[in-house]
Amino acid sequence: MGDVNVRVPIAEQEPKVRAKNFDEVCLGYTEDEAVEEAGRCLNCKNPKCMGGCPVSINIPAFIEQVKNRDFKRAYEIISESSALPAVCGRVCPQESQCEGVCIRGIKGEAVAIGKLERFVADWARKNGIKPTTTAAKNGHKVAVIGSGPAGLTCAGDLARAGYDVTIFEALHKTGGVLVYGIPEFRLPKDEVVAAEVKNVESLGVKIETNVIIGKSTTIDELMEKEGFEAVFIGSGAGLPKFMGIPGEQALGVFSANEYLTRNNLMKAFKDQDTPIFHGKKVVVVGGGNVAMDAARTALRLGAEVHIVYRRSEAELPARVEEVHHAKEEGVIFDLLQNPVEILSDENGWVKGIKIIKMELGEPDESGRRRPVEIPGSEYEIECDAVIMALGTSPNPLISSTTEGLDVNKRGCIIAKEEDGSTSKKAVFAGGDAVTGAATVILAMGAGKAAAKGIREFFGETV
Amino acid sequence: MYKITRKEELADNIFLMDVEAPRCASNCLPGQFVIVRIDEEGERIPLTICDYDREKGTITIVVQTIGASTKRMDELQENDEILDFVGPLGLPSDLCLEENLEETKKKEIVFIAGGLGTAPVYPQVKWLHEHGVEATVIMGSRTKDLLFYIDEMKAVAKEVYVTTDDGTYGFHGMGTDQLQALYDDGKHYDHCVAIGPMIMMKFVCKLTEKLGIHTIVSMNPIMVDGTGMCGACRLIVDGQVKFACVDGPEFDGHKVDFDLAMARMKQYATEEGRKKLAYEEGDTHHGGCGNCA
């Protein structure tokens, strides 16, 4: 046994190798490694990690079972709280949640809770173990809009409690941001996402793809004509934001959503019908997980990639692991810099981007130090594509077609955090449609809260 | 899966399909579009709705084979199935909304359809006809072999003027020439709807701006998801970023930045061309011919 203050290391593809392929970066623990890492858990009487988890997984209990090599029992414990453990184990920002409050983290490294969760979920999948429910069917019909993390979680929890749930998905594939947004090298689509969606279906959830609520049918029609008694809206974030700087309409300026959708959902990297632009030198603007995903995708498609972010490394909103992986693979970080203009050639195609350097001033309302331009520090980066990863604004399709559903001034649906209820009776909402672009696990937390809210709406005491 | 209940060749490389899509058929209106994906390798292809039958639950689409995906689509026959079919997407045409009917009835309306634009024009003219509004239609194409739906259009329009660029059928000239000729004859129009290739809509707008006719165009930029997520279909309208999939596809033609929209259409020209060649000839084009970038 090694130093208890240090994590059991985990196998990853070599940076130089993985920078040229779309296979998963992290290879996961072996059984022995997982058991050894589980041995580092102190099994605290007052487990702070559970409070740090938006879906309240009983973390010490599942880790205890890993320690005992009862991986099936460990999976059952996780499944009581999470419908998507193989996803969460890969994409949750654990360092600011469960692992961020781990007692082991005071003197050394926190227990690798996310990696253990992933191990258990992968083990269960490889051994054909699926989540089960013993609840009797109660006959109540609930519609869930969107098959992303919020929708799948809400549907899974309701099905487990005996509800008759149908998910309506606008795209041709289920998974929402898990399939169109997060790249294959972070979250394998067929092996992991499709398998976890199947698990939710195995609880009795029905899924109808190619139905866009607000267009193909409406919430009111679902309730009046199709007999749904309650609806959960987990329709996700909407249209990409742009900076509004001169030259931004040049050819070769893409939103991260478009770039990633072409590559992930439409599998442009596999040379299918949908094309993607293969840049030689690509600038990605933004510092969140989406920016990292776009940058690492461009890198794998053969480009030299720069991330331009207006604050410093400490303020990067992306997960630490993603930033670390991006750097290892060779993404160049141009921090404390901000684009002021996009330059184009005689054909209207991007040929460069004009950048101004920044310094950090006083803290702003978010508590982060406000970036301030340094006058006269402008310079140009030559590039043939620019990807804007600046967040999104809400999609208006549902709010504009549902009478009595209130939205805030940003266009986000107003829903109570504790139970997902909205201004419209029997209609609940959660995830990015409510909060604006956030994380997978927060959306799952909201889906879970809404499932509880819906059960209470039907008179259950939860 | 979505069953093809009818397929007809309409003209050179242009075919029609009726597809069973009951949810879409029960809620669609003229002006809206659908997205079709024929198989696992296929693109999401946006296609305007040409007609719909609420009772049979079918949508009529008209397709021109231009890329690898549309070429494969043409190989499908009656009773075959399409993997994915979603809609209706976009906003319905303002002309075809019940709440605007009183206003619409007061207007003298002219449609100008160019090429495949006949398909999305038809349901609007038909809807107006069914609601007691008779419109004039100018429908044009490059040459006679590309014309379709003349009889169908005549059945629902007040007057139909057919034009060909090369004079092989009807009026020799473009739709804009025909409109100018009608105007010179003393005809008056309050409202114009122009649907077709972007270059044609641009020139119609130039003319109608001069003639003082309010003009609506239906924009068909490159799209990926078509549901308000990816932002590929952005346009500049009246100086603002707009998304054709959720804010359109119809816009005030006098406010659209057509030059930018046309440039954006070419963004993937070479990459798509290579895929079509790869499909047709079993190998992709590797450049060097002087015709590609």
Side-chain angles (χ1 to χ4, degrees):
Chain A
M1 185 120 176
D3 181 350
V4 290
N5 283 324
V6 179
R7 282 183 178 190
V8 175
I10 196 157
E12 289 177 349
Q13 275 199 77
E14 282 298 317
K16 278 199 176 117
V17 174
R18 70 181 195 241
K20 292 188 174 64
N21 68 46
F22 279 89
D23 299 337
E24 196 173 8
V25 169
C26 177
L27 305 174
Y29 278 140
T30 62
E31 286 189 15
D32 288 344
E33 287 166 348
V35 172
E36 188 186 343
E37 179 61 20
R40 295 181 60 233
C41 177
L42 298 168
N43 207 350
C44 302
K45 286 242 157 26
N46 170 23
K48 289 204 179 336
C49 50
M50 271 185 79
C53 174
V55 296
S56 310
I57 293 173
N58 191 342
I59 293 167
F62 101 75
I63 293 183
E64 180 74 22
Q65 295 308 323
V66 175
K67 220 184 291 181
N68 297 340
R69 289 187 182 266
D70 190 346
F71 306 131
K72 182 164 182 283
R73 183 69 201 121
Y75 179 72
E76 286 162 3
I77 292 167
I78 297 175
S79 290
E80 283 164 18
S81 309
S82 174
L84 308 169
V87 170
C88 290
R90 287 169 165 85
V91 305
C92 268
Q94 288 101 3
E95 71 269 14
S96 55
Q97 295 176 350
C98 53
E99 294 175 12
V101 287
C102 175
I103 301 301
R104 272 280 181 222
I106 297 171
K107 280 190 180 162
E109 290 182 314
V111 174
I113 300 168
K115 301 284 189 270
L116 288 174
E117 181 186 23
R118 172 197 157 134
F119 166 77
V120 170
D122 288 354
W123 182 91
R125 186 177 66 250
K126 284 170 194 154
N127 287 278
I129 293 162
K130 290 183 172 299
T132 51
T133 174
T134 49
K137 294 261 173 271
N138 65 21
H140 289 302
K141 270 181 88 176
V142 179
V144 168
I145 302 171
S147 66
L152 288 171
T153 300
C154 185
D157 274 17
L158 289 173
R160 222 189 290 272
Y163 289 81
D164 178 1
V165 185
T166 304
I167 298 180
F168 295 97
E169 168 56 49
L171 293 175
H172 58 264
K173 263 209 158 48
T174 46
V177 72
L178 308 175
V179 294
Y180 76 74
I182 301 175
E184 183 77 17
F185 55 82
R186 247 187 353 115
L187 186 62
K189 304 295 160 243
D190 294 340
E191 194 194 331
V192 175
V193 181
E196 298 227 309
V197 171
K198 273 229 152 56
N199 283 348
V200 172
E201 284 182 279
S202 74
L203 293 169
V205 172
K206 287 163 271 187
I207 302 180
E208 208 181 316
T209 52
N210 296 321
V211 181
I212 179 157
I213 303 299
K215 294 287 177 187
S216 311
T217 184
T218 61
I219 288 180
D220 291 318
E221 280 189 343
L222 287 176
M223 299 181 81
E224 286 157 22
K225 294 187 186 161
E226 299 194 32
F228 289 98
E229 299 160 82
V231 177
F232 171 72
I233 306 168
S235 53
L239 289 157
K241 288 183 186 161
F242 291 91
M243 293 187 79
I245 55 173
E248 202 170 15
Q249 300 310 321
L251 309 186
V253 179
F254 305 101
S255 74
N257 268 15
E258 177 187 352
Y259 193 73
L260 290 171
T261 301
R262 284 179 181 276
N263 200 64
N264 304 336
L265 178 70
M266 305 311 294
K267 309 222 174 294
F269 71 94
K270 281 191 182 166
D271 216 28
Q272 306 235 332
D273 285 356
T274 301
I276 191 163
F277 180 69
H278 292 250
K280 291 187 185 69
K281 191 165 169 181
V282 176
V283 169
V284 177
V285 182
N289 288 319
V290 174
M292 300 304 137
D293 287 345
R296 296 171 69 197
T297 297
L299 190 91
R300 283 162 171 75
L301 292 173
E304 174 187 321
V305 184
H306 290 247
I307 283 191
V308 172
Y309 177 60
R310 63 200 180 113
R311 301 179 196 252
S312 74
E313 176 148 5
E315 287 84 17
L316 280 170
R319 290 175 72 210
V320 171
E321 181 175 317
E322 307 313 326
V323 175
H324 171 72
H325 279 157
K327 281 186 177 169
E328 276 188 341
E329 289 162 10
V331 172
I332 299 156
F333 283 73
D334 296 328
L335 302 171
L336 281 167
Q337 306 188 19
N338 205 29
V340 288
E341 186 182 353
I342 292 168
L343 313 164
S344 46
D345 65 16
E346 64 279 10
N347 300 317
W349 199 277
V350 172
K351 67 168 184 184
I353 182 164
K354 193 193 267 183
I355 306 276
I356 190 162
K357 296 192 175 166
M358 315 286 280
E359 59 190 352
L360 291 180
E362 294 301 309
D364 61 15
E365 60 276 13
S366 73
R368 298 179 299 179
R369 291 175 67 194
R370 185 192 304 272
V372 187
E373 291 183 354
I374 302 172
S377 65
E378 291 94 339
Y379 75 104
E380 288 172 15
I381 302 179
E382 206 182 293
C383 61
D384 59 354
V386 174
I387 299 171
M388 293 292 181
L390 306 164
T392 57
S393 52
N395 189 319
L397 287 186
I398 288 176
S399 52
S400 66
T401 54
T402 310
E403 220 162 290
L405 184 67
D406 290 349
V407 295
N408 66 20
K409 60 179 189 297
R410 291 187 300 144
C412 298
I413 297 168
I414 299 171
K416 278 194 195 136
E417 202 178 327
E418 62 273 21
D419 65 2
S421 59
T422 68
S423 59
K424 191 174 170 78
K425 192 176 168 232
V427 176
F428 299 75
D432 285 3
V434 169
T435 56
T439 62
V440 168
I441 189 69
L442 286 175
M444 290 179 61
K448 200 167 190 63
K452 179 170 164 281
I454 290 169
R455 293 176 65 184
E456 286 164 354
F457 169 76
F458 284 106
E460 283 192 69
T461 316
V462 186
Chain B
M1 299 289 271
Y2 303 81
K3 192 168 148 190
I4 299 164
T5 57
R6 176 169 71 119
K7 187 186 175 192
E8 277 175 31
E9 300 298 324
L10 290 181
D12 265 8
N13 290 320
I14 298 174
F15 60 91
L16 165 154
M17 277 179 177
D18 283 354
V19 181
E20 267 178 12
R23 281 192 190 277
C24 182
S26 67
N27 282 296
C28 67
L29 281 170
Q32 292 185 294
F33 64 96
V34 295
I35 282 197
V36 175
R37 180 171 166 266
I38 47 167
D39 56 27
E40 280 300 333
E41 284 74 44
E43 283 184 89
R44 290 173 66 91
I45 311 167
L47 297 166
T48 30
I49 293 170
C50 175
D51 206 353
Y52 49 89
D53 187 325
R54 300 216 199 278
E55 274 169 28
K56 283 192 201 154
T58 57
I59 299 282
T60 305
I61 50 176
V62 172
V63 186
Q64 188 164 25
T65 53
I66 40 168
S69 288
T70 45
K71 195 102 186 153
R72 277 212 308 283
M73 193 168 169
D74 194 14
E75 286 164 14
L76 296 175
Q77 304 302 332
E78 265 175 37
N79 297 321
D80 285 346
E81 289 183 323
I82 290 174
L83 184 59
D84 296 296
F85 192 100
V86 59
L89 300 167
L91 300 172
S93 167
D94 281 343
L95 277 184
C96 302
L97 293 176
E98 300 270 358
E99 65 252 41
N100 298 340
L101 194 55
E102 282 315 304
E103 277 304 302
T104 304
K105 279 183 172 168
K106 293 178 196 155
K107 291 176 185 163
E108 195 61 41
I109 302 165
V110 60
F111 285 85
I112 305 186
L116 209 63
T118 296
V121 161
Y122 174 73
Q124 299 200 26
V125 179
K126 183 181 170 190
W127 190 96
L128 290 171
H129 173 73
E130 285 168 354
H131 290 78
V133 183
E134 304 304 321
T136 300
V137 177
I138 299 169
M139 48 192 280
S141 72
R142 222 166 55 236
T143 186
K144 182 173 176 260
D145 294 341
L146 296 172
L147 288 166
F148 62 94
Y149 256 51
I150 297 174
D151 292 339
E152 285 87 344
M153 199 70 89
K154 281 182 176 163
V156 293
K158 179 165 73 178
E159 289 169 322
V160 175
Y161 299 91
V162 182
T163 71
T164 49
D165 298 359
D166 63 0
T168 45
Y169 189 97
F171 179 91
H172 186 172
M174 310 232 190
T176 43
D177 301 325
Q178 177 71 76
L179 179 63
Q180 181 73 57
L182 290 169
Y183 183 83
D184 293 342
D185 278 353
K187 301 261 187 184
H188 165 82
Y189 302 103
D190 309 295
H191 188 99
C192 171
V193 178
I195 308 181
M198 282 197 194
I199 184 81
M200 165 245 160
M201 294 192 283
K202 175 184 165 173
F203 281 103
V204 169
C205 287
K206 278 196 166 173
L207 176 63
T208 56
E209 204 159 18
K210 201 175 78 190
L211 302 179
I213 309 171
H214 180 60
T215 302
I216 296 294
V217 295
S218 178
M219 299 301 284
N220 49 351
I222 293 172
M223 290 185 184
V224 187
D225 71 294
T227 64
M229 191 265 287
C230 83
C233 66
R234 68 184 189 273
L235 304 160
I236 297 291
V237 181
D238 207 12
Q240 305 281 317
V241 174
K242 294 281 175 189
F243 299 96
C245 72
V246 291
D247 300 322
E250 298 198 348
F251 294 97
D252 180 338
H254 295 150
K255 293 179 176 165
V256 171
D257 184 339
F258 279 105
D259 292 337
L260 177 68
M262 284 189 282
R264 285 185 60 81
M265 290 294 278
K266 291 188 194 138
Q267 234 176 175
Y268 289 97
T270 319
E271 316 238 352
E272 269 169 14
R274 287 206 178 111
K275 301 219 166 173
K276 183 171 179 237
L277 277 173
Y279 177 74
E280 286 173 349
E281 296 168 11
D283 190 14
T284 66
H285 197 69
H286 299 291
C289 71
N291 292 322
C292 65

